[in-house]
Amino acid sequence: MENGHSLRVCPGMSRVEVPASRNIIDSTDKFIIDQVFPSRESVFEWAKTIRRENGISIVIIRSDKATVKRGRKDKLILGCERGGRYKSKSKSTVTCSHKENCSFTLRCIPLSVGEGWKISVRCGTHNHDLLDTVTGHSYLGRLNEEERKFVNDMTKYKLAPRFILNALKERNKANLTIPSQIYKARSTYRSSLRGPYTEMQHLLKLIQQENYVYWTRRRENSDVLRDIFWTHTDCIKLLNTFHFVLICDSTYKTNRYRLPLLEIVGVTSTSLTFSVGFAYLEQERQDNFIWAFEKVRQLFKSETLISKVIVTDRDLAMMNAISVVFPTSIHLLCRFHIEKNVGARCKQYVKKDRQEEVMDLWKKIVYSSSVEEYDHHLQHFELVCADIILFVDYVKDSWLTPYKERFVNVWTNRVMHLGNTTSNRVESAHWRLKNMLQTSLGDLCKSWDAVNMMLKNQICIIQYSFQKTSKDVEHGCNSSFFQSLHHCVSRKCFKKIDKQLQRVKIVGTDKTICGCSIRTTHGLPCACELAKLQISGNVIPLDSIHIKLKSNCPLPPISQKWKDYCNECAKTWEIACAARMKQWEHIDPSFSKSSCISLNED
C-alpha cells in the first residue's frame, strides 16, 4: 500500500495504480478461449458478444496490419473503454469523463503456423464496477452502416425520430440505440447534404435541381436576400388551366427565422386545391406583397387569363397590394374570419343570454339574397341591438359600410367564385404543409423540402381525380338527362346539378324564385334552366357547363421526375386527352420542355 493506493500487476503488463477504495473485478475467465478465428473481424464480433452478455464495454485500442514498411505485424489490441486518462484542453471549461485508467486488455494475433487468429488475455481485471445494463450506452448503441442508411432514408421522408427508433428496434431486437443518437444521425445526414454551401446557396441549388421557377429580391447595395418566390412549372400549367379564383394567405411557424410564408392556391375542375406559388417575405408590408403578387401576375400567359376573383382575409397591406397589382379582379374577404371577429366582439359587448340571438341576426344579414332583404335584416338588427350601440357601431363601421360588397351574399353571388367565399382552402393547405414539416424550428431548406414533397403528392391526387372523372358515373346521375355530361364533368358538378334538379318542383321556370345564383357563382345550370330543358325534352348540353369546370381540361404532361410518383392509371390520362395537349403546346410551346427559370432582382 502506498499513499492509500494499491498496486496490482497483471500478466505481461507494467504495474498499474488503482485506488484502494475501488473493487477489483476479474473477468479473465470470460475471455479465455482456445478457439481459432478465421479473421480479425470475427475476433472482434466474438468480443462484442461477450461484452454484451457481461456488461463490459470493449473498444479497439490499436489495430495494425503487416506491411513492408517499418516492420509492422498483424495485431489487434482490445481494451476497456474506461482505459486511459482524460486530458483536459481547457481548464476554464467544466467537463466530465468516464475514463478511469482501467487496465483490461486483450491481444489478438494471427497464428504462427497455419491460418487464423487467436486471442489472449493480457490483463483481465477492471478497477470499476461493470455495467448493470447496456441500454443507452453511447458506444454499444452506435448505429452500424445499414442502420445509418435506414435512418437517412426515413429522415428524407419526414418520419419522426421516435418512429425511426421504434422501427430500428423492430428490425433488431438487440438494438441499444437511444433517441439522442437518432437526432445526431439526422443532423449529420442533413449537414452532409448541404456540404460547403451556405443555407441560402443550398436552397437555390435545390430549387434549380427540381426545375422550379423562382425570383429573388435583394436589399439595396447588398447581397442579402429580402424576398424569394418560387413555383413549379406544373403549378403554372394548372394556374393557366384553372385560373378563375385565387385564394391567398400568410402563415407562420414554418422556419426558425420567423419569416412569414405567403401561399397562393387555386381550385381545379374536380374541386381540389392546387398550389400556385410560395413566397418567403422579409416583412408583411405592402411593398413585399406587391413584389410577390407581381410575380404571380407574370405566371399568366395572357392578360385575359388573369384571375377574376381573389379571396383573402382582412390584411390591409395585402388588400392594398392586390388593388395595385390586380385592379380589375374582384376582391372578396373571408366570411369565416369576419364571423369570428364579430363573434368575439359579441361576447365582449352582449350579455350571454342574448349572444345567440344577436349572432343569428348577423348571419341573416350576411346571407341576404337581395338588397331589399339586406336592408330589412340590417334595420331589424339595429332595432334589436339598440341598447348595445357600441356593438352596432363596430359591425357597421368595421365591416358593413366599407366591405359589405366583399362578403355579403347579395353582392358575392354576382361573381363566379366557385363557392369560395372563405380562405379555408389555403388554411387547409397550411395545415398539410405543417404536417409535412413537423417542426417550426427548421431552416429554409427543410421548409422547402416539405413544400416539394407536398406538391408531388398534390399533383398525383389531381391526376387521379381527372382519371376517375373520365371513368366513373355518379349513381344518382346515370339517367339519359345527364348523358352528355358523363365522363366529361366532375362528380362535384354532378352533385350540384342534381341538387338544383331537386328544386325544379318548387321553382319551376320562375327566375325570381330560382335566383340563378348557381349560374353566376359556379357556371352551372340552375333550377329554372333545368326545368326548361325537361319541358322541351332535351338533355343537359355540355356547353351549359362553364368551360373551366369541364374535366376534359386536365393537367398538362408533368416532368419526367414527377411521373415516377404517378400510378399507371394517371399516366394514361395524357393519352386520352392528346388533343388537349396539342392545344396546350400550340398556346405556349415553351412548356413542352421542363425548364428552370431564375430571375434575380436588386
Side-chain angles (χ1 to χ4, degrees), residues 170-413:
E170 283 292 327
R171 288 158 60 98
N172 180 10
K173 300 297 182 182
N175 185 279
L176 301 174
T177 306
I178 57 176
S180 61
Q181 291 170 309
I182 300 294
Y183 281 101
K184 289 178 182 177
R186 284 158 54 92
S187 178
T188 302
Y189 169 69
R190 293 195 183 104
S191 299
S192 68
L193 292 178
R194 182 179 299 182
Y197 298 104
T198 64
E199 182 179 334
M200 190 55 65
Q201 289 173 335
H202 185 54
L203 174 62
L204 297 180
K205 177 186 173 184
L206 291 173
I207 290 175
Q208 292 168 1
Q209 284 178 347
E210 293 292 337
N211 297 322
Y212 276 77
V213 178
Y214 71 99
W215 289 269
T216 59
R217 184 168 67 150
R218 294 176 292 181
R219 290 180 182 173
E220 190 174 352
N221 301 323
S222 172
D223 289 332
V224 178
L225 292 184
R226 291 183 60 191
D227 309 303
I228 179 169
F229 177 94
W230 74 92
T231 184
H232 199 275
T233 52
D234 293 334
C235 297
I236 300 174
K237 296 169 187 176
L238 277 170
L239 173 64
N240 284 274
T241 305
F242 308 109
H243 59 85
F244 214 83
V245 179
L246 291 183
I247 308 167
C248 315
D249 189 34
S250 294
T251 187
Y252 314 92
K253 296 183 179 181
T254 62
N255 59 89
R256 66 178 63 165
Y257 310 108
R258 300 183 179 180
L259 293 175
L261 176 66
L262 174 64
E263 185 172 5
I264 304 110
V265 303
V267 188
T268 69
S269 63
T270 50
S271 195
L272 293 179
T273 303
F274 70 91
S275 298
V276 173
F278 301 84
Y280 269 122
L281 306 178
E282 183 181 33
Q283 295 175 320
E284 289 185 285
R285 294 187 175 180
Q286 183 174 332
D287 174 60
N288 302 87
F289 283 123
I290 288 177
W291 178 84
F293 286 125
E294 283 176 347
K295 305 312 165 195
V296 175
R297 189 181 181 104
Q298 291 178 32
L299 300 179
F300 293 100
K301 294 177 185 175
S302 68
E303 293 292 318
T304 58
L305 292 177
I306 291 176
S307 300
K308 301 297 187 295
V309 177
I310 301 176
V311 184
T312 69
D313 55 12
R314 194 184 65 165
D315 184 329
L316 296 180
M318 187 184 295
M319 291 172 65
N320 293 336
I322 290 174
S323 64
V324 172
V325 181
F326 299 102
T328 59
S329 299
I330 297 172
H331 186 188
L332 303 183
L333 294 181
C334 175
R335 189 177 290 168
F336 173 77
H337 285 91
I338 293 174
E339 186 174 329
K340 282 186 66 177
N341 289 333
V342 172
R345 287 301 181 100
C346 180
K347 290 181 180 179
Q348 181 180 350
Y349 293 122
V350 183
K351 293 182 180 180
K352 190 172 182 179
D353 57 340
R354 295 181 59 191
Q355 289 176 7
E356 185 175 351
E357 178 191 4
V358 170
M359 288 305 297
D360 286 341
L361 293 174
W362 164 256
K363 289 177 182 179
K364 287 180 180 180
I365 295 174
V366 173
Y367 292 98
S368 300
S369 57
S370 65
V371 176
E372 293 76 15
E373 186 180 346
Y374 169 79
D375 292 335
H376 171 73
H377 288 313
L378 180 58
Q379 291 175 3
H380 186 209
F381 176 81
E382 291 174 337
L383 181 64
V384 173
C385 301
D387 57 331
I388 40 178
I389 192 64
L390 290 177
F391 179 66
V392 175
D393 290 343
Y394 165 77
V395 167
K396 294 176 67 176
D397 297 341
S398 298
W399 299 110
L400 294 179
T401 301
Y403 303 124
K404 63 177 180 292
E405 294 85 359
R406 302 191 182 193
F407 70 94
V408 177
N409 254 14
V410 60
W411 287 281
T412 59
N413 282 350

Side-chain angles (χ1 to χ4, degrees), residues 97-230:
S97 173
H98 60 264
K99 291 186 177 294
E100 304 217 14
N101 201 27
C102 180
S103 58
F104 177 84
T105 311
L106 302 177
R107 179 183 176 86
C108 311
I109 57 175
L111 296 174
S112 56
V113 179
E115 295 183 355
W117 287 67
K118 65 179 180 179
I119 186 169
S120 60
V121 181
R122 295 182 63 183
C123 180
T125 60
H126 301 268
N127 63 347
H128 56 84
D129 294 332
L130 299 183
L131 299 173
D132 294 330
T133 176
V134 292
T135 302
H137 193 277
S138 59
Y139 181 78
L140 301 180
R142 288 193 306 180
L143 299 170
N144 58 35
E145 196 62 35
E146 182 183 352
E147 291 173 336
R148 192 174 298 278
K149 184 179 183 302
F150 176 78
V151 172
N152 293 347
D153 290 341
M154 295 301 100
T155 300
K156 179 180 178 181
Y157 295 108
K158 307 297 180 184
L159 194 65
R162 61 184 181 275
F163 299 131
I164 297 176
L165 183 59
N166 290 338
L168 284 175
K169 294 189 180 295
E170 283 292 327
R171 288 158 60 98
N172 180 10
K173 300 297 182 182
N175 185 279
L176 301 174
T177 306
I178 57 176
S180 61
Q181 291 170 309
I182 300 294
Y183 281 101
K184 289 178 182 177
R186 284 158 54 92
S187 178
T188 302
Y189 169 69
R190 293 195 183 104
S191 299
S192 68
L193 292 178
R194 182 179 299 182
Y197 298 104
T198 64
E199 182 179 334
M200 190 55 65
Q201 289 173 335
H202 185 54
L203 174 62
L204 297 180
K205 177 186 173 184
L206 291 173
I207 290 175
Q208 292 168 1
Q209 284 178 347
E210 293 292 337
N211 297 322
Y212 276 77
V213 178
Y214 71 99
W215 289 269
T216 59
R217 184 168 67 150
R218 294 176 292 181
R219 290 180 182 173
E220 190 174 352
N221 301 323
S222 172
D223 289 332
V224 178
L225 292 184
R226 291 183 60 191
D227 309 303
I228 179 169
F229 177 94
W230 74 92

Side-chain angles (χ1 to χ4, degrees), residues 75-92:
K75 64 178 177 180
L76 181 65
I77 307 298
L78 306 177
C80 179
E81 70 164 351
R82 295 197 175 189
R85 290 189 181 278
Y86 173 73
K87 296 179 181 179
S88 177
K89 297 181 181 179
S90 175
K91 294 182 179 179
S92 60

Side-chain angles (χ1 to χ4, degrees), residues 485-496:
L485 306 183
H486 290 166
H487 311 298
C488 296
V489 175
S490 68
R491 297 180 67 188
K492 288 282 185 180
C493 290
F494 273 120
K495 290 179 180 179
K496 290 185 180 297

